[in-house]
Amino acid sequence: MAYTDKSFFAKLKPYVLKDMRDTGILASLTAAQAFIESNKGNSGLTQKCNNLFGIKGKYNGQGELFWTTEYYNGVKTRIQAYFRKYPSWQESIADHSALFNRLARYANLRGETDYVQACKNVRLDGYATSPTYTSTLINTIQKYHLDEWDREVLGSVSVSTPIEVHRTLRKGDRGDDVKQWQTFLNSNGYPCGLVDGIFGKNTELAVKQYQASLGLVPDGIIGPKTWATLE
């Protein structure tokens, strides 16, 4: 069967939400990687081996030989390699997070709640050789609002856990949280116009200017790290 974006994410969502609860690896990162690496479930590797992430080697002795593209010193190269074969998507997802929780170089992904930072880290940690991997992950998460999946999990933590989770705000959102930011931005030299609770173009521009002044990624989205600057 050929998956559409919608049918792929519908099948994937319950698996990655459970995985985030079990492992602490962001659901948005897992989902975006799966979407990209598997061509939304339609790659030959995924169709034949249930391998969503292009993880090489063998799983319980099972693997298949495939052609793949790697970058060596910026040079695109085609090679053959063995890739793991899984009984189902669930095992592929679990093995992916187990890899992050097992290898020391991925320690910065454990418990990370900012998807932008997680996307930067996974590329720097050596998961992929493509020079555009980080931006591709971030664009996928933002296009399909996969950060909302993270909030579903983070919002379900015990009330005794000292974690405050804010709603991520972006252009088009409305409400009191937007008003709070508009008031703050106007008062601190980042004019965004009316305090009307509507996250429009001017508010987005002001957020970008504020983020840039702090050395944050100026994406105009008020996520966990931007919220944290108020706290």
Side-chain angles (χ1 to χ4, degrees), residues 6 28 42 47 96 114 139 167 169-170 175-176 184 205:
K6 183 177 181 180
S28 60
N42 295 316
Q47 293 283 330
H96 170 262
D114 183 342
N139 290 340
R167 169 191 171 205
L169 302 173
R170 54 168 56 84
D176 290 340
F184 171 81
L205 179 60

Side-chain angles (χ1 to χ4, degrees), residues 129-141:
T129 56
S130 169
T132 61
Y133 194 65
T134 292
S135 60
T136 302
L137 286 173
I138 292 172
N139 290 340
T140 300
I141 290 171

Side-chain angles (χ1 to χ4, degrees), residues 12-28 30 93 97 101 148-158:
L12 190 75
K13 183 176 181 179
Y15 302 148
V16 297
L17 292 187
K18 181 180 185 303
D19 181 76
M20 182 176 170
R21 294 186 183 101
D22 291 343
T23 69
I25 302 300
L26 279 178
S28 60
T30 303
I93 293 165
S97 291
N101 279 316
E148 294 176 2
W149 295 12
D150 299 335
R151 295 198 298 277
E152 286 188 41
V153 176
L154 293 170
S156 67
V157 296
S158 168

Side-chain angles (χ1 to χ4, degrees), residues 29-41:
L29 175 64
T30 303
Q33 286 192 283
F35 182 82
I36 294 162
E37 302 286 351
S38 73
N39 185 25
K40 62 186 176 191

Side-chain angles (χ1 to χ4, degrees), residues 1-87:
M1 94 177 255
Y3 290 97
T4 63
D5 297 5
K6 183 177 181 180
S7 63
F8 174 79
F9 284 124
K11 178 176 179 178
L12 190 75
K13 183 176 181 179
Y15 302 148
V16 297
L17 292 187
K18 181 180 185 303
D19 181 76
M20 182 176 170
R21 294 186 183 101
D22 291 343
T23 69
I25 302 300
L26 279 178
S28 60
L29 175 64
T30 303
Q33 286 192 283
F35 182 82
I36 294 162
E37 302 286 351
S38 73
N39 185 25
K40 62 186 176 191
N42 295 316
S43 70
L45 179 60
T46 301
Q47 293 283 330
K48 189 173 184 179
C49 300
N50 288 312
N51 189 328
L52 290 164
F53 304 97
I55 297 179
K56 296 183 180 72
K58 294 186 177 181
Y59 180 79
N60 294 335
Q62 299 297 306
E64 294 280 347
L65 196 62
F66 282 85
W67 283 99
T68 185
T69 299
E70 299 289 353
Y71 289 81
Y72 298 102
N73 296 321
V75 179
K76 188 176 181 180
T77 308
R78 290 282 288 169
I79 64 169
Q80 277 191 310
Y82 273 99
F83 288 83
R84 299 185 182 193
K85 185 174 184 177
Y86 301 97

Side-chain angles (χ1 to χ4, degrees), residues 175-188:
D176 290 340
D177 285 343
V178 177
K179 284 186 178 180
Q180 177 185 350
W181 271 97
Q182 289 174 327
T183 300
F184 171 81
L185 292 166
N186 281 333
S187 300
N188 287 275

